[in-house]
Amino acid sequence: MTEPQSNNVPLGITLMLASTIVFALQDGISRHLAGTYNTWMVVMIRYWFFAAFVIALAARAPGGLGRAARTRQPLLQIFRGLLLAGEVCVAIYGFTLLGLIQSQAVFICYPLLVAALSGPVLGEQVGWRRWAAIGVGLVGVLIILQPGMGVFDPVAVIPLISALMFALYGLLTRYVARQDRTETSFFYTGTAGAVMMTAIGIWFWEPMTGPDWAWMAVLCVTGASGHWLLIKCYEVAEAGAVQPFAYFHLIWASILGLVVFGEVLRDNVIIGAGLIVAAGLFTLWRERAKG
């Protein structure tokens, strides 16, 4: 029997804001490490810690590993884990090519993708106003990418692919939460991703300096805590209600890009990101009006 889901929007917003801070720090550290070492290896090491962390939590919880791994939808849970691991690789690769600001300016369209896909995936109602907001947000993406300005660089599409993957991951997280507990989703997010990344990343091993091992340790902690916050967020609140607050991720990431990495904030990125954020905030207003 499917368990009823809560919709505690204030708590969901708090969890989402906390996750944006953690993810922005994670992005900055990932950009640094992947600029020096192979992306596959960086993500693999991060997932080793992630998997060890979720396994240790599951082992200490009542029922142990058996209860954490017990699910009515194993293939979907495994697919979620693989999808997220792939998205992390795509996103970090984009950071090294485009920088944090432009990558995140495009990536923040993922809440609008969540809103667009929440109908077919979750069965939530998507009205014409939300579709209009999604359209405005996609115009913002086009302004950032500038596909008509001379020779279009296909590399600019990388964060858009990452956004689509992450949106699908978020929706599937909400979907599996209808039958599985947070601990189960967390367990599969860590273990499935670790298996996939080990199978790939072990072939790209490189020696790492002592200071960078310290940064890697911080990256591992932020990776585990950030995704736990996100899973909990989707469990307590509807996806459409909390997603607009994911835009704070862009603010923190832009600050890191400007201050730490010396990136430049271009006019088209400001205008495009502004449209995307405005569209997302409008969807939030619609959620409150309907409520």
Side-chain angles (χ1 to χ4, degrees), residues 94-133:
F95 296 158
T96 63
L97 297 178
L98 299 170
L100 284 178
I101 294 177
Q102 184 169 337
S103 293
Q104 287 298 336
V106 176
F107 180 79
I108 59 165
C109 76
Y110 89 83
L112 295 175
L113 297 177
V114 169
L117 296 173
S118 61
V121 176
L122 298 179
E124 297 178 2
Q125 184 178 359
V126 182
W128 70 268
R129 293 179 180 84
R130 188 183 291 186
W131 280 117

PDB file of all heavy atoms in Angstrom, residues 94-133:
ATOM      1  N   GLY A  94      31.648  20.329 -17.601  1.00  0.00           N
ATOM      2  CA  GLY A  94      31.215  21.648 -18.045  1.00  0.00           C
ATOM      3  C   GLY A  94      31.890  22.767 -17.274  1.00  0.00           C
ATOM      4  O   GLY A  94      32.234  23.809 -17.846  1.00  0.00           O
ATOM      5  N   PHE A  95      32.110  22.583 -15.956  1.00  0.00           N
ATOM      6  CA  PHE A  95      32.791  23.597 -15.157  1.00  0.00           C
ATOM      7  C   PHE A  95      34.184  23.883 -15.703  1.00  0.00           C
ATOM      8  O   PHE A  95      34.622  25.029 -15.754  1.00  0.00           O
ATOM      9  CB  PHE A  95      32.934  23.148 -13.701  1.00  0.00           C
ATOM     10  CG  PHE A  95      31.626  22.968 -12.975  1.00  0.00           C
ATOM     11  CD1 PHE A  95      31.552  22.151 -11.843  1.00  0.00           C
ATOM     12  CD2 PHE A  95      30.474  23.601 -13.409  1.00  0.00           C
ATOM     13  CE1 PHE A  95      30.365  21.986 -11.175  1.00  0.00           C
ATOM     14  CE2 PHE A  95      29.275  23.433 -12.744  1.00  0.00           C
ATOM     15  CZ  PHE A  95      29.219  22.622 -11.626  1.00  0.00           C
ATOM     16  N   THR A  96      34.898  22.810 -16.096  1.00  0.00           N
ATOM     17  CA  THR A  96      36.275  22.973 -16.565  1.00  0.00           C
ATOM     18  C   THR A  96      36.332  23.675 -17.920  1.00  0.00           C
ATOM     19  O   THR A  96      37.335  24.322 -18.242  1.00  0.00           O
ATOM     20  CB  THR A  96      36.981  21.616 -16.666  1.00  0.00           C
ATOM     21  OG1 THR A  96      36.325  20.792 -17.650  1.00  0.00           O
ATOM     22  CG2 THR A  96      36.967  20.893 -15.329  1.00  0.00           C
ATOM     23  N   LEU A  97      35.279  23.557 -18.723  1.00  0.00           N
ATOM     24  CA  LEU A  97      35.275  24.160 -20.057  1.00  0.00           C
ATOM     25  C   LEU A  97      34.648  25.546 -20.078  1.00  0.00           C
ATOM     26  O   LEU A  97      35.092  26.423 -20.834  1.00  0.00           O
ATOM     27  CB  LEU A  97      34.520  23.250 -21.038  1.00  0.00           C
ATOM     28  CG  LEU A  97      35.110  21.857 -21.283  1.00  0.00           C
ATOM     29  CD1 LEU A  97      34.220  21.080 -22.245  1.00  0.00           C
ATOM     30  CD2 LEU A  97      36.527  21.961 -21.835  1.00  0.00           C
ATOM     31  N   LEU A  98      33.591  25.752 -19.295  1.00  0.00           N
ATOM     32  CA  LEU A  98      32.821  26.993 -19.353  1.00  0.00           C
ATOM     33  C   LEU A  98      32.944  27.863 -18.114  1.00  0.00           C
ATOM     34  O   LEU A  98      32.553  29.027 -18.145  1.00  0.00           O
ATOM     35  CB  LEU A  98      31.337  26.668 -19.585  1.00  0.00           C
ATOM     36  CG  LEU A  98      31.007  25.918 -20.881  1.00  0.00           C
ATOM     37  CD1 LEU A  98      29.553  25.450 -20.847  1.00  0.00           C
ATOM     38  CD2 LEU A  98      31.244  26.799 -22.085  1.00  0.00           C
ATOM     39  N   GLY A  99      33.449  27.303 -17.005  1.00  0.00           N
ATOM     40  CA  GLY A  99      33.489  28.035 -15.755  1.00  0.00           C
ATOM     41  C   GLY A  99      32.204  27.869 -14.963  1.00  0.00           C
ATOM     42  O   GLY A  99      31.195  27.376 -15.478  1.00  0.00           O
ATOM     43  N   LEU A 100      32.222  28.300 -13.711  1.00  0.00           N
ATOM     44  CA  LEU A 100      31.074  28.116 -12.827  1.00  0.00           C
ATOM     45  C   LEU A 100      29.891  28.995 -13.219  1.00  0.00           C
ATOM     46  O   LEU A 100      28.746  28.547 -13.220  1.00  0.00           O
ATOM     47  CB  LEU A 100      31.470  28.439 -11.381  1.00  0.00           C
ATOM     48  CG  LEU A 100      32.295  27.402 -10.618  1.00  0.00           C
ATOM     49  CD1 LEU A 100      32.611  27.930  -9.231  1.00  0.00           C
ATOM     50  CD2 LEU A 100      31.554  26.081 -10.528  1.00  0.00           C
ATOM     51  N   ILE A 101      30.153  30.262 -13.566  1.00  0.00           N
ATOM     52  CA  ILE A 101      29.056  31.208 -13.771  1.00  0.00           C
ATOM     53  C   ILE A 101      28.202  30.818 -14.965  1.00  0.00           C
ATOM     54  O   ILE A 101      26.971  30.695 -14.859  1.00  0.00           O
ATOM     55  CB  ILE A 101      29.603  32.637 -13.934  1.00  0.00           C
ATOM     56  CG1 ILE A 101      30.257  33.107 -12.636  1.00  0.00           C
ATOM     57  CG2 ILE A 101      28.478  33.592 -14.322  1.00  0.00           C
ATOM     58  CD1 ILE A 101      30.880  34.477 -12.720  1.00  0.00           C
ATOM     59  N   GLN A 102      28.825  30.624 -16.140  1.00  0.00           N
ATOM     60  CA  GLN A 102      28.026  30.300 -17.313  1.00  0.00           C
ATOM     61  C   GLN A 102      27.386  28.922 -17.186  1.00  0.00           C
ATOM     62  O   GLN A 102      26.228  28.730 -17.572  1.00  0.00           O
ATOM     63  CB  GLN A 102      28.874  30.342 -18.583  1.00  0.00           C
ATOM     64  CG  GLN A 102      28.050  30.090 -19.843  1.00  0.00           C
ATOM     65  CD  GLN A 102      28.805  30.385 -21.117  1.00  0.00           C
ATOM     66  OE1 GLN A 102      29.758  31.154 -21.114  1.00  0.00           O
ATOM     67  NE2 GLN A 102      28.385  29.769 -22.209  1.00  0.00           N
ATOM     68  N   SER A 103      28.116  27.961 -16.626  1.00  0.00           N
ATOM     69  CA  SER A 103      27.554  26.621 -16.448  1.00  0.00           C
ATOM     70  C   SER A 103      26.319  26.664 -15.560  1.00  0.00           C
ATOM     71  O   SER A 103      25.273  26.095 -15.892  1.00  0.00           O
ATOM     72  CB  SER A 103      28.603  25.677 -15.836  1.00  0.00           C
ATOM     73  OG  SER A 103      29.669  25.452 -16.728  1.00  0.00           O
ATOM     74  N   GLN A 104      26.432  27.351 -14.434  1.00  0.00           N
ATOM     75  CA  GLN A 104      25.307  27.402 -13.506  1.00  0.00           C
ATOM     76  C   GLN A 104      24.163  28.254 -14.036  1.00  0.00           C
ATOM     77  O   GLN A 104      22.997  27.979 -13.745  1.00  0.00           O
ATOM     78  CB  GLN A 104      25.771  27.942 -12.151  1.00  0.00           C
ATOM     79  CG  GLN A 104      26.598  26.959 -11.347  1.00  0.00           C
ATOM     80  CD  GLN A 104      25.812  25.712 -11.005  1.00  0.00           C
ATOM     81  OE1 GLN A 104      24.593  25.716 -10.966  1.00  0.00           O
ATOM     82  NE2 GLN A 104      26.518  24.621 -10.771  1.00  0.00           N
ATOM     83  N   ALA A 105      24.479  29.289 -14.829  1.00  0.00           N
ATOM     84  CA  ALA A 105      23.427  30.125 -15.389  1.00  0.00           C
ATOM     85  C   ALA A 105      22.509  29.318 -16.296  1.00  0.00           C
ATOM     86  O   ALA A 105      21.303  29.566 -16.355  1.00  0.00           O
ATOM     87  CB  ALA A 105      24.044  31.292 -16.160  1.00  0.00           C
ATOM     88  N   VAL A 106      23.076  28.347 -17.014  1.00  0.00           N
ATOM     89  CA  VAL A 106      22.260  27.464 -17.857  1.00  0.00           C
ATOM     90  C   VAL A 106      21.638  26.357 -17.018  1.00  0.00           C
ATOM     91  O   VAL A 106      20.460  26.033 -17.166  1.00  0.00           O
ATOM     92  CB  VAL A 106      23.103  26.857 -18.993  1.00  0.00           C
ATOM     93  CG1 VAL A 106      22.268  25.860 -19.800  1.00  0.00           C
ATOM     94  CG2 VAL A 106      23.645  27.949 -19.902  1.00  0.00           C
ATOM     95  N   PHE A 107      22.417  25.814 -16.097  1.00  0.00           N
ATOM     96  CA  PHE A 107      21.956  24.676 -15.298  1.00  0.00           C
ATOM     97  C   PHE A 107      20.729  25.020 -14.454  1.00  0.00           C
ATOM     98  O   PHE A 107      19.885  24.151 -14.214  1.00  0.00           O
ATOM     99  CB  PHE A 107      23.087  24.201 -14.387  1.00  0.00           C
ATOM    100  CG  PHE A 107      22.715  23.025 -13.516  1.00  0.00           C
ATOM    101  CD1 PHE A 107      22.705  21.742 -14.029  1.00  0.00           C
ATOM    102  CD2 PHE A 107      22.366  23.208 -12.181  1.00  0.00           C
ATOM    103  CE1 PHE A 107      22.360  20.656 -13.239  1.00  0.00           C
ATOM    104  CE2 PHE A 107      22.022  22.132 -11.385  1.00  0.00           C
ATOM    105  CZ  PHE A 107      22.018  20.848 -11.919  1.00  0.00           C
ATOM    106  N   ILE A 108      20.598  26.294 -14.042  1.00  0.00           N
ATOM    107  CA  ILE A 108      19.475  26.647 -13.169  1.00  0.00           C
ATOM    108  C   ILE A 108      18.123  26.554 -13.863  1.00  0.00           C
ATOM    109  O   ILE A 108      17.095  26.748 -13.222  1.00  0.00           O
ATOM    110  CB  ILE A 108      19.623  28.052 -12.554  1.00  0.00           C
ATOM    111  CG1 ILE A 108      19.721  29.103 -13.657  1.00  0.00           C
ATOM    112  CG2 ILE A 108      20.780  28.096 -11.582  1.00  0.00           C
ATOM    113  CD1 ILE A 108      19.502  30.516 -13.162  1.00  0.00           C
ATOM    114  N   CYS A 109      18.118  26.244 -15.154  1.00  0.00           N
ATOM    115  CA  CYS A 109      16.824  26.023 -15.806  1.00  0.00           C
ATOM    116  C   CYS A 109      16.215  24.688 -15.394  1.00  0.00           C
ATOM    117  O   CYS A 109      15.066  24.397 -15.735  1.00  0.00           O
ATOM    118  CB  CYS A 109      16.952  26.100 -17.331  1.00  0.00           C
ATOM    119  SG  CYS A 109      17.689  24.646 -18.098  1.00  0.00           S
ATOM    120  N   TYR A 110      16.961  23.858 -14.637  1.00  0.00           N
ATOM    121  CA  TYR A 110      16.440  22.528 -14.309  1.00  0.00           C
ATOM    122  C   TYR A 110      15.148  22.558 -13.482  1.00  0.00           C
ATOM    123  O   TYR A 110      14.287  21.683 -13.660  1.00  0.00           O
ATOM    124  CB  TYR A 110      17.509  21.661 -13.630  1.00  0.00           C
ATOM    125  CG  TYR A 110      17.591  21.746 -12.131  1.00  0.00           C
ATOM    126  CD1 TYR A 110      16.752  20.991 -11.320  1.00  0.00           C
ATOM    127  CD2 TYR A 110      18.529  22.559 -11.514  1.00  0.00           C
ATOM    128  CE1 TYR A 110      16.837  21.059  -9.942  1.00  0.00           C
ATOM    129  CE2 TYR A 110      18.626  22.630 -10.144  1.00  0.00           C
ATOM    130  CZ  TYR A 110      17.777  21.883  -9.360  1.00  0.00           C
ATOM    131  OH  TYR A 110      17.863  21.951  -7.998  1.00  0.00           O
ATOM    132  N   PRO A 111      14.927  23.574 -12.608  1.00  0.00           N
ATOM    133  CA  PRO A 111      13.612  23.594 -11.946  1.00  0.00           C
ATOM    134  C   PRO A 111      12.454  23.749 -12.932  1.00  0.00           C
ATOM    135  O   PRO A 111      11.367  23.206 -12.709  1.00  0.00           O
ATOM    136  CB  PRO A 111      13.720  24.798 -11.001  1.00  0.00           C
ATOM    137  CG  PRO A 111      15.178  24.942 -10.746  1.00  0.00           C
ATOM    138  CD  PRO A 111      15.828  24.580 -12.043  1.00  0.00           C
ATOM    139  N   LEU A 112      12.675  24.497 -14.008  1.00  0.00           N
ATOM    140  CA  LEU A 112      11.635  24.634 -15.024  1.00  0.00           C
ATOM    141  C   LEU A 112      11.434  23.313 -15.765  1.00  0.00           C
ATOM    142  O   LEU A 112      10.309  22.970 -16.145  1.00  0.00           O
ATOM    143  CB  LEU A 112      11.994  25.747 -16.007  1.00  0.00           C
ATOM    144  CG  LEU A 112      12.037  27.158 -15.409  1.00  0.00           C
ATOM    145  CD1 LEU A 112      12.531  28.163 -16.436  1.00  0.00           C
ATOM    146  CD2 LEU A 112      10.667  27.562 -14.887  1.00  0.00           C
ATOM    147  N   LEU A 113      12.513  22.586 -15.964  1.00  0.00           N
ATOM    148  CA  LEU A 113      12.384  21.260 -16.576  1.00  0.00           C
ATOM    149  C   LEU A 113      11.625  20.316 -15.643  1.00  0.00           C
ATOM    150  O   LEU A 113      10.840  19.482 -16.095  1.00  0.00           O
ATOM    151  CB  LEU A 113      13.773  20.696 -16.897  1.00  0.00           C
ATOM    152  CG  LEU A 113      14.599  21.493 -17.912  1.00  0.00           C
ATOM    153  CD1 LEU A 113      15.985  20.874 -18.079  1.00  0.00           C
ATOM    154  CD2 LEU A 113      13.885  21.559 -19.257  1.00  0.00           C
ATOM    155  N   VAL A 114      11.876  20.457 -14.335  1.00  0.00           N
ATOM    156  CA  VAL A 114      11.121  19.671 -13.358  1.00  0.00           C
ATOM    157  C   VAL A 114       9.639  19.995 -13.463  1.00  0.00           C
ATOM    158  O   VAL A 114       8.784  19.103 -13.472  1.00  0.00           O
ATOM    159  CB  VAL A 114      11.628  19.947 -11.921  1.00  0.00           C
ATOM    160  CG1 VAL A 114      10.678  19.350 -10.888  1.00  0.00           C
ATOM    161  CG2 VAL A 114      13.024  19.368 -11.734  1.00  0.00           C
ATOM    162  N   ALA A 115       9.328  21.304 -13.544  1.00  0.00           N
ATOM    163  CA  ALA A 115       7.923  21.716 -13.656  1.00  0.00           C
ATOM    164  C   ALA A 115       7.295  21.164 -14.930  1.00  0.00           C
ATOM    165  O   ALA A 115       6.140  20.715 -14.931  1.00  0.00           O
ATOM    166  CB  ALA A 115       7.829  23.238 -13.633  1.00  0.00           C
ATOM    167  N   ALA A 116       8.052  21.194 -16.027  1.00  0.00           N
ATOM    168  CA  ALA A 116       7.521  20.699 -17.304  1.00  0.00           C
ATOM    169  C   ALA A 116       7.274  19.201 -17.280  1.00  0.00           C
ATOM    170  O   ALA A 116       6.310  18.704 -17.863  1.00  0.00           O
ATOM    171  CB  ALA A 116       8.486  21.061 -18.430  1.00  0.00           C
ATOM    172  N   LEU A 117       8.151  18.473 -16.599  1.00  0.00           N
ATOM    173  CA  LEU A 117       8.066  17.013 -16.603  1.00  0.00           C
ATOM    174  C   LEU A 117       7.272  16.460 -15.421  1.00  0.00           C
ATOM    175  O   LEU A 117       7.043  15.248 -15.360  1.00  0.00           O
ATOM    176  CB  LEU A 117       9.475  16.410 -16.584  1.00  0.00           C
ATOM    177  CG  LEU A 117      10.342  16.702 -17.812  1.00  0.00           C
ATOM    178  CD1 LEU A 117      11.764  16.204 -17.589  1.00  0.00           C
ATOM    179  CD2 LEU A 117       9.743  16.050 -19.054  1.00  0.00           C
ATOM    180  N   SER A 118       6.872  17.321 -14.487  1.00  0.00           N
ATOM    181  CA  SER A 118       6.157  16.827 -13.310  1.00  0.00           C
ATOM    182  C   SER A 118       4.796  16.234 -13.671  1.00  0.00           C
ATOM    183  O   SER A 118       4.269  15.402 -12.946  1.00  0.00           O
ATOM    184  CB  SER A 118       5.971  17.959 -12.283  1.00  0.00           C
ATOM    185  OG  SER A 118       5.204  19.021 -12.835  1.00  0.00           O
ATOM    186  N   GLY A 119       4.241  16.658 -14.802  1.00  0.00           N
ATOM    187  CA  GLY A 119       2.979  16.078 -15.255  1.00  0.00           C
ATOM    188  C   GLY A 119       3.130  14.646 -15.705  1.00  0.00           C
ATOM    189  O   GLY A 119       2.542  13.723 -15.109  1.00  0.00           O
ATOM    190  N   PRO A 120       3.943  14.383 -16.742  1.00  0.00           N
ATOM    191  CA  PRO A 120       4.080  13.008 -17.228  1.00  0.00           C
ATOM    192  C   PRO A 120       4.757  12.066 -16.241  1.00  0.00           C
ATOM    193  O   PRO A 120       4.459  10.870 -16.223  1.00  0.00           O
ATOM    194  CB  PRO A 120       4.916  13.158 -18.510  1.00  0.00           C
ATOM    195  CG  PRO A 120       5.583  14.482 -18.397  1.00  0.00           C
ATOM    196  CD  PRO A 120       4.654  15.342 -17.612  1.00  0.00           C
ATOM    197  N   VAL A 121       5.666  12.562 -15.408  1.00  0.00           N
ATOM    198  CA  VAL A 121       6.407  11.676 -14.501  1.00  0.00           C
ATOM    199  C   VAL A 121       5.675  11.477 -13.178  1.00  0.00           C
ATOM    200  O   VAL A 121       5.560  10.354 -12.687  1.00  0.00           O
ATOM    201  CB  VAL A 121       7.827  12.228 -14.237  1.00  0.00           C
ATOM    202  CG1 VAL A 121       8.561  11.353 -13.221  1.00  0.00           C
ATOM    203  CG2 VAL A 121       8.623  12.301 -15.539  1.00  0.00           C
ATOM    204  N   LEU A 122       5.158  12.563 -12.598  1.00  0.00           N
ATOM    205  CA  LEU A 122       4.549  12.486 -11.268  1.00  0.00           C
ATOM    206  C   LEU A 122       3.027  12.552 -11.297  1.00  0.00           C
ATOM    207  O   LEU A 122       2.383  12.334 -10.280  1.00  0.00           O
ATOM    208  CB  LEU A 122       5.079  13.618 -10.379  1.00  0.00           C
ATOM    209  CG  LEU A 122       6.580  13.636 -10.089  1.00  0.00           C
ATOM    210  CD1 LEU A 122       6.931  14.831  -9.221  1.00  0.00           C
ATOM    211  CD2 LEU A 122       7.026  12.341  -9.427  1.00  0.00           C
ATOM    212  N   GLY A 123       2.462  12.891 -12.426  1.00  0.00           N
ATOM    213  CA  GLY A 123       1.012  13.021 -12.500  1.00  0.00           C
ATOM    214  C   GLY A 123       0.495  14.316 -11.916  1.00  0.00           C
ATOM    215  O   GLY A 123      -0.705  14.454 -11.669  1.00  0.00           O
ATOM    216  N   GLU A 124       1.388  15.298 -11.661  1.00  0.00           N
ATOM    217  CA  GLU A 124       0.956  16.596 -11.145  1.00  0.00           C
ATOM    218  C   GLU A 124       0.386  17.432 -12.292  1.00  0.00           C
ATOM    219  O   GLU A 124       0.802  17.325 -13.441  1.00  0.00           O
ATOM    220  CB  GLU A 124       2.130  17.326 -10.488  1.00  0.00           C
ATOM    221  CG  GLU A 124       2.689  16.605  -9.269  1.00  0.00           C
ATOM    222  CD  GLU A 124       3.889  17.324  -8.667  1.00  0.00           C
ATOM    223  OE1 GLU A 124       4.260  18.400  -9.178  1.00  0.00           O
ATOM    224  OE2 GLU A 124       4.457  16.803  -7.697  1.00  0.00           O
ATOM    225  N   GLN A 125      -0.553  18.307 -11.971  1.00  0.00           N
ATOM    226  CA  GLN A 125      -1.187  19.138 -12.989  1.00  0.00           C
ATOM    227  C   GLN A 125      -0.273  20.293 -13.389  1.00  0.00           C
ATOM    228  O   GLN A 125       0.266  20.998 -12.551  1.00  0.00           O
ATOM    229  CB  GLN A 125      -2.521  19.685 -12.474  1.00  0.00           C
ATOM    230  CG  GLN A 125      -3.294  20.486 -13.504  1.00  0.00           C
ATOM    231  CD  GLN A 125      -4.638  20.967 -12.986  1.00  0.00           C
ATOM    232  OE1 GLN A 125      -4.990  20.679 -11.839  1.00  0.00           O
ATOM    233  NE2 GLN A 125      -5.375  21.682 -13.809  1.00  0.00           N
ATOM    234  N   VAL A 126      -0.094  20.487 -14.698  1.00  0.00           N
ATOM    235  CA  VAL A 126       0.711  21.584 -15.231  1.00  0.00           C
ATOM    236  C   VAL A 126      -0.200  22.450 -16.088  1.00  0.00           C
ATOM    237  O   VAL A 126      -0.593  22.062 -17.185  1.00  0.00           O
ATOM    238  CB  VAL A 126       1.894  21.064 -16.071  1.00  0.00           C
ATOM    239  CG1 VAL A 126       2.741  22.237 -16.574  1.00  0.00           C
ATOM    240  CG2 VAL A 126       2.745  20.100 -15.250  1.00  0.00           C
ATOM    241  N   GLY A 127      -0.550  23.634 -15.581  1.00  0.00           N
ATOM    242  CA  GLY A 127      -1.469  24.521 -16.291  1.00  0.00           C
ATOM    243  C   GLY A 127      -0.758  25.405 -17.298  1.00  0.00           C
ATOM    244  O   GLY A 127       0.469  25.406 -17.410  1.00  0.00           O
ATOM    245  N   TRP A 128      -1.530  26.243 -18.010  1.00  0.00           N
ATOM    246  CA  TRP A 128      -0.957  27.084 -19.065  1.00  0.00           C
ATOM    247  C   TRP A 128      -0.029  28.144 -18.504  1.00  0.00           C
ATOM    248  O   TRP A 128       0.940  28.547 -19.163  1.00  0.00           O
ATOM    249  CB  TRP A 128      -2.076  27.720 -19.892  1.00  0.00           C
ATOM    250  CG  TRP A 128      -2.885  28.779 -19.182  1.00  0.00           C
ATOM    251  CD1 TRP A 128      -4.028  28.607 -18.477  1.00  0.00           C
ATOM    252  CD2 TRP A 128      -2.588  30.174 -19.123  1.00  0.00           C
ATOM    253  NE1 TRP A 128      -4.479  29.806 -17.971  1.00  0.00           N
ATOM    254  CE2 TRP A 128      -3.612  30.798 -18.361  1.00  0.00           C
ATOM    255  CE3 TRP A 128      -1.562  30.978 -19.641  1.00  0.00           C
ATOM    256  CZ2 TRP A 128      -3.627  32.154 -18.100  1.00  0.00           C
ATOM    257  CZ3 TRP A 128      -1.578  32.351 -19.381  1.00  0.00           C
ATOM    258  CH2 TRP A 128      -2.606  32.912 -18.620  1.00  0.00           C
ATOM    259  N   ARG A 129      -0.289  28.602 -17.270  1.00  0.00           N
ATOM    260  CA  ARG A 129       0.589  29.622 -16.692  1.00  0.00           C
ATOM    261  C   ARG A 129       1.975  29.062 -16.422  1.00  0.00           C
ATOM    262  O   ARG A 129       2.988  29.731 -16.643  1.00  0.00           O
ATOM    263  CB  ARG A 129      -0.035  30.170 -15.405  1.00  0.00           C
ATOM    264  CG  ARG A 129      -1.321  30.965 -15.621  1.00  0.00           C
ATOM    265  CD  ARG A 129      -1.895  31.448 -14.321  1.00  0.00           C
ATOM    266  NE  ARG A 129      -3.135  32.203 -14.499  1.00  0.00           N
ATOM    267  CZ  ARG A 129      -4.331  31.658 -14.621  1.00  0.00           C
ATOM    268  NH1 ARG A 129      -4.459  30.339 -14.573  1.00  0.00           N
ATOM    269  NH2 ARG A 129      -5.405  32.429 -14.790  1.00  0.00           N
ATOM    270  N   ARG A 130       2.012  27.820 -15.935  1.00  0.00           N
ATOM    271  CA  ARG A 130       3.316  27.206 -15.689  1.00  0.00           C
ATOM    272  C   ARG A 130       4.042  26.957 -17.008  1.00  0.00           C
ATOM    273  O   ARG A 130       5.259  27.144 -17.108  1.00  0.00           O
ATOM    274  CB  ARG A 130       3.162  25.894 -14.912  1.00  0.00           C
ATOM    275  CG  ARG A 130       4.500  25.326 -14.460  1.00  0.00           C
ATOM    276  CD  ARG A 130       4.367  23.998 -13.753  1.00  0.00           C
ATOM    277  NE  ARG A 130       3.710  24.114 -12.456  1.00  0.00           N
ATOM    278  CZ  ARG A 130       3.583  23.090 -11.611  1.00  0.00           C
ATOM    279  NH1 ARG A 130       4.039  21.887 -11.955  1.00  0.00           N
ATOM    280  NH2 ARG A 130       2.981  23.260 -10.467  1.00  0.00           N
ATOM    281  N   TRP A 131       3.284  26.552 -18.036  1.00  0.00           N
ATOM    282  CA  TRP A 131       3.915  26.363 -19.356  1.00  0.00           C
ATOM    283  C   TRP A 131       4.452  27.686 -19.878  1.00  0.00           C
ATOM    284  O   TRP A 131       5.525  27.723 -20.523  1.00  0.00           O
ATOM    285  CB  TRP A 131       2.919  25.766 -20.348  1.00  0.00           C
ATOM    286  CG  TRP A 131       2.733  24.294 -20.206  1.00  0.00           C
ATOM    287  CD1 TRP A 131       1.589  23.629 -19.874  1.00  0.00           C
ATOM    288  CD2 TRP A 131       3.734  23.277 -20.383  1.00  0.00           C
ATOM    289  NE1 TRP A 131       1.807  22.273 -19.837  1.00  0.00           N
ATOM    290  CE2 TRP A 131       3.108  22.029 -20.143  1.00  0.00           C
ATOM    291  CE3 TRP A 131       5.087  23.304 -20.721  1.00  0.00           C
ATOM    292  CZ2 TRP A 131       3.799  20.817 -20.235  1.00  0.00           C
ATOM    293  CZ3 TRP A 131       5.778  22.100 -20.811  1.00  0.00           C
ATOM    294  CH2 TRP A 131       5.141  20.877 -20.566  1.00  0.00           C
ATOM    295  N   ALA A 132       3.740  28.788 -19.640  1.00  0.00           N
ATOM    296  CA  ALA A 132       4.219  30.103 -20.073  1.00  0.00           C
ATOM    297  C   ALA A 132       5.524  30.462 -19.363  1.00  0.00           C
ATOM    298  O   ALA A 132       6.468  30.983 -19.974  1.00  0.00           O
ATOM    299  CB  ALA A 132       3.160  31.168 -19.803  1.00  0.00           C
ATOM    300  N   ALA A 133       5.586  30.165 -18.054  1.00  0.00           N
ATOM    301  CA  ALA A 133       6.805  30.428 -17.292  1.00  0.00           C
ATOM    302  C   ALA A 133       7.962  29.580 -17.813  1.00  0.00           C
ATOM    303  O   ALA A 133       9.100  30.053 -17.912  1.00  0.00           O
ATOM    304  CB  ALA A 133       6.568  30.144 -15.803  1.00  0.00           C
TER     305      ALA A 133
END
